[in-house]
Amino acid sequence: MILKLLSEKERMYGYEMVQRVKEMSHEKILIKEGSLYPTLHALTKEGYLTTESALVNNRTRKYYSLTNKGKGLAAPAVDELVDFQQTLKLIFGSKPALS
Amino acid sequence: MILKLLSEKERMYGYEMVQRVKEMSHEKILIKEGSLYPTLHALTKEGYLTTESALVNNRTRKYYSLTNKGKGLAAPAVDELVDFQQTLKLIFGSKPALS
DNA sequence: CAATAATACATCATAATCCGATGTATGCAA
DNA sequence: TTGCATACATCGGATTATGATGTATTATTG
């Protein structure tokens, strides 16, 4: 999801990602800090993301962007999830439950 | 998925479930024995499934069925997955990639 | 006819992943 | 001044998936 978000918006910070996913998913997917920040750090360490820090309203913000390598990771990863969603639909395709 | 399968067919055995999911998912989801059997045993132990063994073609088969308790688990669990699939679609909804 | 694939069960150790709890700090609203 | 939102971060525990491994029979195919 991080890769998906950053494919659609060049520069985002962690907290913003949490809000964006919450909004896009109609409050259904709530990314926790305990999941987000370690993942962001790992992706950065592996060279998929770059960061720049900023101070906004006297609060620290750390912006993340995809590197070229990151774009290379994002494209197939997003495709895979699109595919997975469609596969899930094959099995849990929403036929409304008849009483 | 086990619960989904058994909601649609009263009695199934492990190997059959693997084949059915493989088929329904167009070969995309391949449940491994290392995932399936421990799960089946756990669900049985917790009273969600009952088993009956049979010998077919000189090979052992263990059929599983939902108990009433299992049906109570299956209904909301399946709903949850249907819901999840739709949520995933909100985020990874397949807009075909423009070149 | 011998080797391989398919059918059918099972377990275990390793790896991956998620998240609750916890901590720090500022700004804003009640 | 209490609490909520913003904003970062870490760590340990719990859950889950699966590759590897094992047993055994039947069917296929070169």
Side-chain angles (χ1 to χ4, degrees), chain A residues 3-18:
Chain A
L3 297 171
K4 167 73 173 175
L5 295 179
L6 289 175
S7 298
E8 283 169 0
K9 190 174 175 185
E10 241 284 295
R11 244 167 56 109
M12 290 186 83
Y13 57 100
Y15 189 80
E16 185 187 8
M17 296 180 191
V18 172

Side-chain angles (χ1 to χ4, degrees), chain A residues 13 15 37 41 59 61-62:
Chain A
Y13 57 100
Y15 189 80
Y37 293 115
H41 299 333
R59 281 199 213 89
R61 267 188 201 174
K62 215 163 142 186

